[in-house]
């Protein structure tokens, strides 16, 4: 070897790895540490982009767990509005690593703090998941009992999960100083009233996110020693920042910290892997097609590409193609166009099956409380 | 002077038709009826002020029973709707698996779990039940009628079943579990409240089941059911029994209440 770059594979060079590569498949981009199969019990959690991941994993026939299923006979629209089926439990959007850590701590301690329930127009809201009861609860007692039931469901879920796919969304959060807990939303957006003495803005640092992810893993493994954590970073930029910076800089900071922390946890822990959905979407090579007109929502085509890369890397698209129509399965190979068409056939606009209709929903139709911030703009 | 009302429904119209035939007193209401069994009215149309049932009556059974296939809305003072899946049956089913803290059987998450129920919020319970009631064929009819006429529309409460639903052979698990859990009063109150609300949302009035006809919240006193026999019925000890359809006595009570409202 005359220089250290001599034996580097094509994906190690920008030209062959990005400019000239097949940007539908991104060969070599994701090399899973552990493989998902159709029998792997997968749970999902995270920011709103994680809803795409859960939905496509289900479409691909992956065993995505649902620890709090919607009541029988409940319409899909109503179920979604009340936080059912978005993730593997009704925790709503978990934007920060700290929220995930604190959710597990509370679940394991069976701890429900009444200070974390705030009112609006006489209705009570769980500030750790305010979106799952869109009109609030009739009483504090009801809201607290529902949280207790939720925490038990989270415990049962983590105890029976093989792989938790956790999508990191933000570093910015709001902390209730009295309760010492990170809220899902800024106070006053859905319920409560913002008071400086009680609530504090916090932009989590790299060290904090790293520690929170490590603690999340430790807590999960305490419940379930064999569980694995698959991290992704949401490519959806911040709706708004309270940092005082320009939202572009703030978004870049958030995503950079999350990306670095996720990568480092994955590098240091055998039970943690990182999937580069963030890189695929935000790559300069994909700039023209990645985002909706609002420059936040990820296009359906791009979500398909992301999930195609994921499923191919895990060898799941082959199996899916075989499970699906015979003509699709013929000659199906990992990474081939045929495979991706197989995925699109399940999810694309040509489908008329009502069950698949939600796949066509653009980002704006995800349940994303963070987007409420836009409505508060002066 | 009697009010003229058009009654639209399914087999539950029988109680009212018989009441008018059998009552000794003037109930203050004359009824015409467009009705067909079960969901057979689902092909109904309303065009140019004419309600048409569009059901098959090849042997003339409906006509012999005094039921018409069509009626002009302008000929009446009020429209009554009954049956067609707007009933406590559909509400009771919800409580088989779900509970709210206001129910003793689900007062906290542990009690709910012990009783095999998932705890949900009252807000969600309300939405689920309103959705169920709103999806009943009766509500489709009401919504379309509301577009076609300004006449008052009354949804006449389908009676609760008799206790026969607790008996092996005709057993309805949902009613049994509701009784065992002591949730009958809560279910009954919830049904009545949300039935009123659902009807009001589509511009109709709801005529509740008269309290004197109700037996322990969830059931109808047998005196208001005995003597009816309409499909579907069940065989019990070799005898046909009907635990869903009210008799003329029930129809008379309801019409008396209605006449007072329309006066």
């Amino acid at each position: 070897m005359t220089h250290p770059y001599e034996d580097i594979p094509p994906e190690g060079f920008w030209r062959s790895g990005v400019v000239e590569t097949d940007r539908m498949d991104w060969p070599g981009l994701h090399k899973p540490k552990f493989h998902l199969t159709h029998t792997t019990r997968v749970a999902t959690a995270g920011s709103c982009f994680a809803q795409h991941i859960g939905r496509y994993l289900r479409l691909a026939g992956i065993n995505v767990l649902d620890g709090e299923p919607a009541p029988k006979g409940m319409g899909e629209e109503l179920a979604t509005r009340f936080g059912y089926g978005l993730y593997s439990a009704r925790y709503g959007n978990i934007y920060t690593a700290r929220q995930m850590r604190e959710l597990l701590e509370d679940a394991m301690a069976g701890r429900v703090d009444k200070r974390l329930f705030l009112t609006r127009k006489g209705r009570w809201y769980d500030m750790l998941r305010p979106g799952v009861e869109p009109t609030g609860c009739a009483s504090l007692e009801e809201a607290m009992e529902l949280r207790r039931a939720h925490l038990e469901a989270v415990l049962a879920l983590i105890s029976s999960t093989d792989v938790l796919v956790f999508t990191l969304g933000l570093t910015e959060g709001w902390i209730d100083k009295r309760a010492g807990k990170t809220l899902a939303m800024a106070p006053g957006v859905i319920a409560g009233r913002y008071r400086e003495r009680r609530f504090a803005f916090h932009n989590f640092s790299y060290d904090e996110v790293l520690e929170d992810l490590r603690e999340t893993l430790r807590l999960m493994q305490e419940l379930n020693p064999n569980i694995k954590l698959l991290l992704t970073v949401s490519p959806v930029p911040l709706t708004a920042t309270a940092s005082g910076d320009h939202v572009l800089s703030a978004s870049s900071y958030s995503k950079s910290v999350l990306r670095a922390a996720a990568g480092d946890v994955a590098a240091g822990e055998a039970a943690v892997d990182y999937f580069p959905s963030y890189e695929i979407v935000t790559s300069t090579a994909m700039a023209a097609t990645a985002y909706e007109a609002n420059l936040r929502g990820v296009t359906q085509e791009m979500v398909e590409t992301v999930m195609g890369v994921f499923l191919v890397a895990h060898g799941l698209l082959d199996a899916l193609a075989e499970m699906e129509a015979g003509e699709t399965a013929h000659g199906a190979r990992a990474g081939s166009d045929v495979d991706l068409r197989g995925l699109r056939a399940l999810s694309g606009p040509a489908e008329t099956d009502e069950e698949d209709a939600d796949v066509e929903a653009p980002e704006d139709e995800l349940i994303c409380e963070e987007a409420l911030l836009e409505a508060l703009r002066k | 002077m009697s009010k003229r009302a058009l009654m639209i429904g399914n087999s539950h119209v029988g109680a009212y038709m018989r009441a008018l035939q059998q009552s000794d007193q003037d109930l203050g209401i004359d009824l015409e009826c467009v009705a067909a069994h079960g969901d057979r009215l689902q092909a109904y149309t309303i065009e140019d002020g004419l309600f048409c049932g569009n059901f098959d009556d090849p042997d003339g059974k409906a006509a012999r029973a005094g039921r018409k296939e069509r009626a002009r809305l302008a000929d009446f003072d009020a429209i009554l709707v009954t049956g067609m899946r707007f009933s406590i049956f559909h509400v009771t089913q919800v409580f088989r698996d779900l509970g709210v803290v206001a129910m003793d059987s689900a007062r906290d998450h542990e009690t709910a779990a012990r009783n095999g129920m998932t705890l949900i919020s009252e807000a969600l319970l309300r939405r689920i039940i309103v959705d169920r009631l709103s999806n009943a064929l009766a509500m489709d009819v009401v919504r379309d009628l509301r577009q076609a006429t300004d006449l008052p529309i009354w949804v006449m409460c389908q009676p609760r079943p008799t206790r026969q639903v607790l008996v092996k052979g005709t057993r309805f698990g949902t009613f049994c579990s509701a009784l065992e859990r002591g949730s009958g009063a809560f279910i009954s109150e919830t049904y009545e409240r949300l039935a009123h609300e659902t009807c009001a949302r589509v511009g109709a009035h709801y005529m509740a089941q008269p309290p004197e006809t109700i037996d322990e919240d969830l059931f109808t006193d047998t005196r208001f059911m005995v003597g009816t026999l309409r499909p579907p019925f069940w065989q019990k000890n070799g005898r046909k029994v009907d635990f869903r359809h009210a008799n003329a006595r029930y129809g008379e009570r309801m019409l008396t209440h209605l006449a007072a409202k329309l006066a």
Side-chain angles (χ1 to χ4, degrees):
Chain A
M1 188 190 298
T2 56
H3 61 77
Y5 289 87
E6 199 172 79
D7 291 335
I8 287 177
E11 63 262 28
F13 291 91
W14 187 261
R15 194 172 79 182
S16 49
V18 177
V19 180
E20 295 170 351
T21 195
D22 177 350
R23 292 200 289 267
M24 290 296 284
D25 296 347
W26 289 99
L29 179 61
H30 181 45
K31 295 169 184 165
K33 263 191 205 176
F34 42 83
H35 279 84
L36 270 59
T37 69
H38 285 288
T39 57
T40 307
R41 293 166 300 182
V42 176
T44 63
S47 74
C48 23
F49 189 76
Q51 292 170 34
H52 284 310
I53 293 176
R55 189 179 294 156
Y56 274 78
L57 289 178
R58 281 193 192 94
L59 279 171
I62 311 299
N63 181 18
V64 179
L65 301 177
D66 191 350
E68 289 181 281
K72 280 180 208 160
M74 189 174 176
E76 191 174 331
E77 190 184 334
L78 182 60
T80 300
R81 190 161 146 70
F82 278 80
Y84 289 101
L86 302 177
Y87 304 107
S88 291
R90 261 180 102 208
Y91 22 61
N93 297 320
I94 299 176
Y95 293 106
T96 61
R98 179 64 56 88
Q99 281 174 265
M100 189 70 205
R101 170 185 178 166
E102 289 176 352
L103 171 65
L104 290 170
E105 287 171 347
D106 285 350
M108 293 170 78
R111 186 170 48 221
V112 175
D113 186 337
K114 70 177 179 184
R115 292 172 297 184
L116 290 162
F117 297 86
L118 300 179
T119 56
R120 183 180 187 187
K121 294 181 179 173
R123 307 285 297 177
W124 288 88
Y125 291 81
D126 179 348
M127 294 306 285
L128 302 180
R129 48 172 198 152
V132 302
E133 290 291 339
T135 55
C137 289
S139 64
L140 174 62
E141 291 69 30
E142 177 181 71
M144 290 180 70
E145 277 310 318
L146 289 172
R147 178 146 196 91
R148 289 189 182 102
H150 168 63
L151 292 180
E152 290 211 346
V154 170
L155 272 188
L157 175 74
I158 296 299
S159 302
S160 60
T161 294
D162 295 322
V163 176
L164 172 69
V165 182
F166 180 41
T167 302
L168 295 153
L170 304 174
T171 54
E172 294 189 11
W174 289 88
I175 294 172
D176 182 331
K177 289 190 277 189
R178 284 198 328 208
K181 285 284 158 59
T182 309
L183 308 180
M185 284 297 296
V189 176
I190 291 181
R193 190 163 53 88
Y194 175 58
R195 280 174 292 166
E196 266 185 68
R197 284 172 55 191
R198 178 166 174 188
F199 301 104
F201 171 75
H202 189 75
N203 204 355
F204 291 101
S205 69
Y206 166 83
D207 287 337
E208 287 172 319
V209 175
L210 193 70
E211 177 57 23
D212 287 338
L213 288 175
R214 285 181 175 148
E215 185 61 8
T216 294
L217 178 67
R218 190 191 69 75
L219 292 168
M220 290 197 315
Q221 288 181 329
E222 202 173 300
L223 289 168
N224 177 356
N226 296 319
I227 196 168
K228 293 183 170 54
L229 181 60
L230 179 54
L231 295 170
T232 67
V233 173
S234 166
V236 179
L238 275 63
T239 298
T241 179
S243 66
D245 293 334
H246 190 289
V247 70
L248 185 64
S249 301
S251 200
S252 181
Y253 171 84
S254 249
K255 302 300 178 181
S256 303
V257 164
L258 296 175
R259 171 62 187 90
D264 284 354
V265 175
E269 302 279 354
V272 182
D273 201 359
Y274 173 74
F275 172 66
S277 56
Y278 176 76
E279 286 84 334
I280 296 170
V281 178
T282 60
S283 159
T284 50
M286 310 301 279
T289 55
Y291 288 99
E292 306 274 1
N294 65 6
L295 301 183
R296 284 193 74 244
V298 178
T299 61
Q300 184 184 324
E301 293 74 16
M302 186 52 58
V303 175
E304 285 176 3
T305 299
V306 168
M307 294 312 295
V309 172
F310 182 88
L311 294 171
V312 166
H314 284 269
L316 290 166
L317 217 44
D318 273 344
L320 173 67
E322 284 161 20
M323 278 165 48
E324 294 301 316
E327 65 271 25
T328 311
H330 283 308
R333 287 175 292 106
S336 74
D337 286 345
V338 174
D339 290 333
L340 291 172
R341 276 198 300 273
L343 176 64
R344 290 189 187 103
L346 282 174
S347 60
E351 275 295 321
T352 53
D353 189 323
E354 273 187 15
E355 286 183 3
D356 293 335
D358 63 340
V359 177
E360 296 176 42
E363 174 76 12
D364 284 348
E365 291 181 25
L366 294 178
I367 301 299
C368 219
E369 298 104 340
E370 189 210 5
L372 292 173
L373 293 172
E374 180 64 30
L376 302 179
R377 189 164 61 93
K378 285 180 184 168
Chain B
M1 189 175 152
S2 290
K3 297 283 185 183
R4 284 174 54 77
L6 170 64
M7 174 159 263
I8 299 170
N10 55 13
S11 51
H12 292 281
V13 304
Y16 302 93
M17 302 303 282
R18 287 188 176 196
L20 286 174
Q21 290 164 3
Q22 297 176 8
S23 180
D24 299 332
Q25 51 186 316
D26 179 8
L27 297 177
I29 290 181
D30 288 330
L31 281 186
E32 281 195 20
C33 185
V34 177
H37 284 294
D39 292 332
R40 286 178 206 158
L41 268 193
Q42 61 192 355
Y44 74 90
T45 53
I46 306 173
E47 286 177 15
D48 300 327
L50 193 69
F51 183 90
C52 187
N54 294 325
F55 55 84
D56 292 331
D57 186 23
D59 51 6
K61 207 171 168 182
R64 282 198 301 281
R67 289 184 271 130
K68 296 188 168 185
E69 205 251 343
R70 59 185 62 204
R72 185 161 299 284
L73 300 177
D75 294 343
F76 302 94
D77 300 311
I79 301 175
L80 317 181
V81 174
T82 194
M84 297 190 288
R85 300 191 180 275
F86 191 91
S87 77
I88 201 169
F89 280 89
H90 290 80
V91 172
T92 311
Q93 285 169 359
V94 170
F95 292 91
R96 182 174 47 198
D97 304 316
L98 304 177
V100 295
V101 292
M103 300 165 69
D104 196 45
S105 55
R107 59 186 174 274
D108 54 53
H109 75 284
E110 286 168 336
T111 305
R114 264 200 308 277
N115 283 317
M117 301 159 94
T118 299
L119 196 63
I120 62 169
S121 66
E122 286 185 46
L124 179 55
L125 178 75
R126 179 191 154 279
R127 285 293 307 269
I128 291 171
I129 292 173
V130 167
D131 272 10
R132 280 184 165 236
L133 292 174
S134 298
N135 288 331
L137 175 59
M139 285 298 105
D140 289 341
V141 171
V142 169
R143 277 188 289 268
D144 288 341
L145 284 168
R146 188 72 292 158
Q147 296 299 314
T149 177
D150 292 331
L151 290 173
I153 301 171
W154 285 86
V155 175
M156 309 294 279
C157 179
Q158 178 179 320
R160 291 153 171 75
T162 64
R163 286 177 172 276
Q164 183 68 40
V165 292
L166 306 177
V167 177
K168 197 176 174 184
T170 51
R171 195 172 186 276
F172 272 54
T174 51
F175 283 90
C176 293
S177 61
L179 202 65
E180 283 161 13
R181 292 168 182 164
S183 16
F186 184 86
I187 294 172
S188 175
E189 185 277 326
T190 302
Y191 168 66
E192 293 295 345
R193 178 167 44 84
L194 296 180
H196 272 288
E197 184 184 318
T198 306
C199 290
R201 283 166 57 151
V202 292
H205 306 284
Y206 173 71
M207 177 62 69
Q209 181 165 354
E212 67 272 19
T213 69
I214 297 174
D215 173 12
E216 206 182 348
D217 304 307
L218 281 180
F219 309 103
T220 296
D221 187 318
T222 314
R223 288 175 299 153
F224 295 92
M225 304 289 258
V226 72
T228 59
L229 197 61
R230 291 185 173 78
F233 50 75
W234 298 64
Q235 294 276 355
K236 171 155 174 56
N237 299 330
R239 289 176 54 216
K240 290 173 179 174
V241 292
D242 182 347
F243 52 85
R244 294 178 208 246
H245 295 95
N247 59 21
R249 188 180 294 176
Y250 177 89
E252 186 176 320
R253 299 281 172 120
M254 290 289 279
L255 289 175
T256 303
H257 286 296
L258 179 73
K261 299 276 186 187
L262 292 179

